[in-house]
Amino acid sequence: FMNRKHFFVCAALFAVLLTAPVFADNHEEEGDSPSFFVMVEGAFTTATGPGGNYTLLQPNSDGQPQGVMQGVDMDSATAPRLGFGWNAGNGWWSISWSQWDDDSMDSISAADPNYVWDMLYHSDDAWDSFEGTASAMRTVDATTIDLTYGRKVFSDDKFSGNWMFGLRSASLDHMLNVSYADLFDELHHVDLASEASGIGFVGGVSGSYHMNDHWFVTGGFQYSFMTGEVESMSYMEETDVLGTFVDVDADVMSEEDRTFSIMTASASLVWHPTASTYFWVGYEISQWDNVVDTHLYPDDVSEGFVQTDTTGINFDGFKVGVGFTF
């Protein structure tokens, strides 16, 4: 898969990507000859979804789990997008690339009468609740590469509609690194990683409403269905504060064939000051399903019992962009 991914990335960077067919279609409506279009966009989005909880803050010492779970919330990050395409007649081809990559950190400390729990560690060797510090870093990296063909369905002075269909290569990496440190001499480390990758089909519809010669609004919906695999890893070790010994309590990897989907909806306000120049600002929501696997060990009697959770990641936020036809 990595060779295929590198091929698509190089092709996308060479062509320059994530097309905006709405302005290509608008350019064509003005009666110009077949043309090329290029765009650059930045999406200021936030990743959300399960998979970030790492400890429990307990306000007393009765030994039973209670209190508020502490999780790592992702910050807003800039997702760069590039696009290149060409249109002729009522249709257009495009190649596109988009990436979201960011990490966030969180930490919490507790001392008697408060406690924290090492809730992700192998239960056979866990402290359960303890006085000390729990800290975590969460990383999300998502990439899509598309090769699509689109065509106009209808158009008049005010409204236009389009459809698109093509191939998509997508990957999403999720990692959670956690450290539990008591007030004495022990440390517990947990590394949970999941890498999803696949290739499949993407399709969607979009429409525009032209307010005047220089302003229009556009919105659309895309759905992609891919087949690939999800590789996941769970690693847990115990050390002392000086690092003089290491006791590995779990080191497990898995690989599973998987189908997963991505749904995206967006809307934008576009300023069209000249025949070949476009600027826009918009909002979008994207949902990745079945792309994160997590393996935990919650049974202190059956040491080999594995609990596997499969979850997804959502992205939402604003975007700005500029496009040119030539």
Side-chain angles (χ1 to χ4, degrees):
F1 170 77
M2 291 305 295
N3 290 336
R4 183 177 69 229
K5 178 180 177 181
H6 289 162
F7 169 79
F8 274 103
V9 170
C10 292
L13 292 177
F14 175 79
V16 207
L17 119 84
L18 192 56
T19 69
V22 61
F23 68 76
D25 177 63
N26 188 75
H27 182 71
E28 173 215 337
E29 288 176 0
E30 297 171 358
D32 294 346
S33 60
S35 61
F36 297 93
F37 52 93
V38 62
M39 62 82 70
V40 178
E41 189 175 73
F44 305 96
T45 53
T46 303
T48 58
N53 289 333
Y54 68 96
T55 193
L56 177 69
L57 176 62
Q58 181 169 313
N60 56 56
S61 58
D62 63 3
Q64 301 299 320
Q66 58 181 315
V68 179
M69 285 189 179
Q70 185 82 4
V72 183
D73 295 327
M74 300 300 298
D75 299 323
S76 295
T78 302
R81 298 170 177 177
L82 303 172
F84 177 82
W86 56 99
N87 58 339
N90 288 331
W92 58 86
W93 289 91
S94 63
I95 184 170
S96 61
W97 168 85
S98 175
Q99 183 175 28
W100 195 97
D101 184 8
D102 195 33
D103 55 64
S104 295
M105 302 182 67
D106 191 78
S107 180
I108 190 170
S109 298
D112 189 28
N114 298 320
Y115 292 82
V116 289
W117 287 68
D118 52 347
M119 53 181 275
L120 299 182
Y121 206 78
H122 196 311
S123 60
D124 186 55
D125 297 287
W127 297 318
D128 294 334
S129 59
F130 65 96
E131 296 178 63
T133 299
S135 58
M137 182 177 72
R138 186 182 185 188
T139 301
V140 177
D141 183 353
T143 302
T144 61
I145 302 169
D146 297 342
L147 176 62
T148 60
Y149 175 77
R151 193 169 182 86
K152 179 168 55 180
V153 178
F154 65 88
S155 178
D156 58 30
D157 291 341
K158 288 294 184 181
F159 296 95
S160 63
N162 312 283
W163 60 261
M164 56 80 71
F165 184 80
L167 299 175
R168 167 169 288 180
S169 174
S171 65
L172 188 142
D173 299 343
H174 181 274
M175 181 175 291
L176 184 65
N177 307 113
V178 184
S179 293
Y180 302 104
D182 69 8
L183 294 181
F184 303 99
D185 59 355
E186 289 186 297
L187 301 173
H188 281 175
H189 299 284
V190 179
D191 295 328
L192 303 176
S194 181
E195 300 180 0
S197 59
I199 188 169
F201 298 102
V202 58
V205 294
S206 62
S208 300
Y209 171 70
H210 294 256
M211 297 179 288
N212 53 50
D213 291 340
H214 299 292
W215 291 90
F216 61 95
V217 293
T218 181
F221 171 84
Q222 290 185 359
Y223 179 83
S224 56
F225 182 81
M226 282 154 292
T227 180
E229 63 183 20
V230 177
E231 299 179 1
S232 59
M233 180 270 292
S234 296
Y235 179 81
M236 304 177 187
E237 70 174 22
E238 176 185 351
T239 70
D240 62 6
V241 293
L242 299 177
T244 55
F245 79 92
V246 176
D247 186 10
V248 177
D249 291 307
D251 187 3
V252 178
M253 297 185 67
S254 69
E255 181 177 324
E256 180 180 322
D257 293 336
R258 181 74 51 83
T259 58
F260 60 93
S261 62
I262 304 174
M263 293 190 298
T264 303
S266 64
S268 299
L269 173 65
V270 184
W271 179 39
H272 179 33
T274 69
S276 60
T277 307
Y278 299 79
F279 301 92
W280 63 89
V281 59
Y283 186 84
E284 70 175 26
I285 301 173
S286 183
Q287 177 178 308
W288 298 55
D289 288 327
N290 300 322
V291 290
V292 178
D293 281 358
T294 302
H295 303 305
L296 298 177
Y297 305 88
D299 194 331
D300 61 355
V301 177
S302 302
E303 295 184 10
F305 176 72
V306 180
Q307 174 183 303
T308 301
D309 292 327
T310 298
T311 57
I313 295 290
N314 301 325
F315 300 91
D316 69 285
F318 294 93
K319 61 180 181 178
V320 294
V322 57
F324 305 94
T325 60
F326 55 93

